[in-house]
């Protein structure tokens, strides 16, 4: 198992990657369900593997969208499978609709504001300017994702919406205490990346920000609108960043100099300086994960894995753990081969020959 604290450090502001201090981050605050939701799959929902239909009744779910076997893996979907294989099935294969949440939608809004702020000249990247972008980005979000309007359908006076927008302003303001955008010139923002491994597995994701130093060193930055996890859970938070680093390495043959998580909810910055061995371990982990996903896809055996996060799951009505029944499995099922039947057969192999 990979270390959860080695190489974790704080990082200063600026557009270049600084020398790592390799000091332990100050004690972060405990993650909450809101933080988990805000940092989850909302922005990656634009990718083909995670598209869901508009809200439909349970009886129509199975036929609403033509089911296809998964062909790629993103950090969010990998996290889904590790959290609960049945959740992965519901989202990727059945594509069950999910209601937008205030926390995740707030995260989407704040990400849009921080991206758009860099359209302005460096000297104009101020907190007031950033906050002034919120109304326009909220209007744009409602246009592109009309389902978010229902978040405040029971708020005719607009009081809850006003408070929610104030919370978004606070998150944006806090960012200015953690980084100085007047000293940053990102090479990329909201960058879609995709790489195919030697095994044929395609990895894909969206990186919030990529900084490139004059010396060519690369820093990958991700904004989180929740709170930083406790140190013992830092490795889980870094998995997404190592995933991105692996994709960049496979695409550019460059190991990013630094991975940086900016937690706007608690004002923490978590950094990690990866080495090639880190990325090789992540690749092996993903290949093993993909083997498990392919097996479940072929056999139709997707087992629920109950955790405390089940209380916030949108799919309890279809989950056996809550007395529900999953929709009919929409893909062909191949019975697993018994060990005695496979003796003497060819052995599968992944990776380079």
């Amino acid at each position: 198992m990979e270390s959860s604290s080695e190489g974790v450090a704080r990082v200063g502001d600026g557009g270049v990657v600084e020398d790592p201090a390799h000091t332990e981050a100050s004690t972060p605050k405990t993650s909450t369900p809101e933080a988990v939701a805000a940092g989850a799959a909302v922005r990656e929902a634009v990718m083909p593997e995670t598209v869901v239909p508009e809200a439909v009744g349970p009886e129509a779910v199975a036929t609403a969208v033509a089911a296809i076997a998964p062909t790629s893996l993103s950090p969010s979907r990998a996290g889904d499978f590790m959290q609960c294989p049945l959740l992965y099935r519901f989202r990727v294969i059945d594509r069950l609709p999910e209601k937008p949440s205030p926390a995740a939608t707030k995260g989407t809004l704040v990400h849009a504001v921080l991206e758009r702020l860099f359209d302005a000249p460096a000297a104009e990247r101020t907190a007031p300017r950033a906050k002034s972008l919120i109304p326009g980005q909220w209007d744009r979000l409602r246009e592109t994702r009309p389902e978010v309007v229902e978040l405040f359908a029971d708020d005719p006076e607009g009081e809850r919406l006003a408070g929610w927008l104030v919370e978004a302003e606070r998150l944006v303001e806090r960012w200015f205490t953690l980084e100085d955008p007047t000293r940053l010139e990102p090479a990329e923002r909201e960058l879609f990346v995709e790489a195919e491994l030697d095994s044929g597995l395609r990895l894909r994701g969206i990186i919030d920000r990529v900084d490139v130093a004059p010396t060519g060193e690369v820093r990958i930055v991700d904004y989180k609108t929740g709170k930083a996890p406790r140190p013992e859970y830092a490795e889980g938070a870094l998995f997404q960043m190592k995933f991105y680093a692996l994709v960049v390495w496979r695409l550019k043959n460059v190991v990013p100099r630094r991975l940086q998580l900016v937690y706007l909810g608690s004002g923490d910055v978590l950094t990690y300086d990866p080495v090639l061995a880190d990325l090789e371990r992540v690749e092996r982990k993903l290949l093993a994960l993909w083997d498990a996903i392919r097996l479940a896809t072929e056999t139709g055996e997707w087992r629920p894995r109950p955790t405390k996060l089940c209380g916030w799951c949108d799919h309890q009505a279809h989950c056996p753990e809550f007395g529900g029944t999953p929709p009919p499995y929409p893909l062909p099922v191949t019975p697993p081969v018994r060990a005695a039947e496979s003796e003497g057969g060819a052995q599968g192999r992944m990776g380079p020959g």
Side-chain angles (χ1 to χ4, degrees), residues 29-47:
K29 301 172 182 60
T30 304
S31 290
T32 64
E34 178 179 348
V36 173
V42 172
R43 289 174 305 110
E44 286 180 4
V46 300
M47 296 190 292

Side-chain angles (χ1 to χ4, degrees), residues 214-256:
T215 55
E217 294 175 309
V218 175
R219 176 169 65 186
I220 297 176
V221 181
D222 195 77
Y223 309 119
K224 300 294 185 185
T225 49
K227 297 179 180 179
R230 295 196 299 266
E232 60 266 32
Y233 298 115
E235 185 58 35
L238 287 169
F239 170 77
Q240 172 189 6
M241 304 302 286
K242 292 180 181 180
F243 184 110
Y244 292 147
L246 170 61
V247 175
V248 170
W249 171 52
R250 284 302 191 182
L251 285 174
K252 301 293 186 181
N253 199 32
V254 173
V255 176

Side-chain angles (χ1 to χ4, degrees), residues 124-276:
E124 298 178 18
R125 298 171 195 161
T126 63
R129 172 67 177 266
K131 289 194 296 182
S132 73
L133 295 175
I134 291 178
Q137 290 304 312
W138 172 234
D139 289 341
R140 180 173 178 272
L141 185 58
R142 288 185 296 176
E143 292 173 1
T144 57
R145 294 181 55 199
E147 67 273 16
V148 303
V149 175
E150 69 184 69
L151 288 172
F152 303 102
D154 59 348
D155 182 35
E157 302 299 324
E159 295 180 2
R160 285 181 46 242
L161 173 59
W164 183 83
L165 291 172
V166 168
E167 292 171 359
E169 288 185 354
R170 290 171 181 164
L171 293 172
V172 169
E173 285 184 316
R174 183 168 288 146
W175 179 57
F176 286 84
T177 69
L178 304 173
E179 295 190 286
D180 182 357
T182 66
R183 298 173 57 195
L184 294 169
E185 290 298 339
E188 301 286 352
R189 291 172 275 153
E190 294 294 319
L191 175 65
F192 174 80
V193 290
E194 182 178 59
E196 184 171 313
L197 304 183
D198 295 332
S199 66
L201 170 60
R202 284 189 296 127
L203 304 178
R204 62 199 313 180
I206 300 175
I207 301 176
D208 288 348
R209 199 179 85 218
V210 178
D211 300 332
V212 179
T215 55
E217 294 175 309
V218 175
R219 176 169 65 186
I220 297 176
V221 181
D222 195 77
Y223 309 119
K224 300 294 185 185
T225 49
K227 297 179 180 179
R230 295 196 299 266
E232 60 266 32
Y233 298 115
E235 185 58 35
L238 287 169
F239 170 77
Q240 172 189 6
M241 304 302 286
K242 292 180 181 180
F243 184 110
Y244 292 147
L246 170 61
V247 175
V248 170
W249 171 52
R250 284 302 191 182
L251 285 174
K252 301 293 186 181
N253 199 32
V254 173
V255 176
R257 178 72 173 85
R258 171 155 289 177
L259 311 178
Q260 179 168 308
L261 284 160
V262 181
Y263 286 94
L264 305 177
S266 56
D268 292 296
V269 177
L270 179 65
T271 69
Y272 185 89
D273 298 325
V275 295
L276 182 57

Side-chain angles (χ1 to χ4, degrees), residues 310-339:
C310 291
W312 289 272
C313 182
D314 280 342
H315 308 304
Q316 293 180 11
H318 297 286
C319 180
E321 293 295 321
F322 291 86
T325 301
Y329 191 56
L331 297 176
V333 173
T334 303
V337 178
R338 296 194 300 267

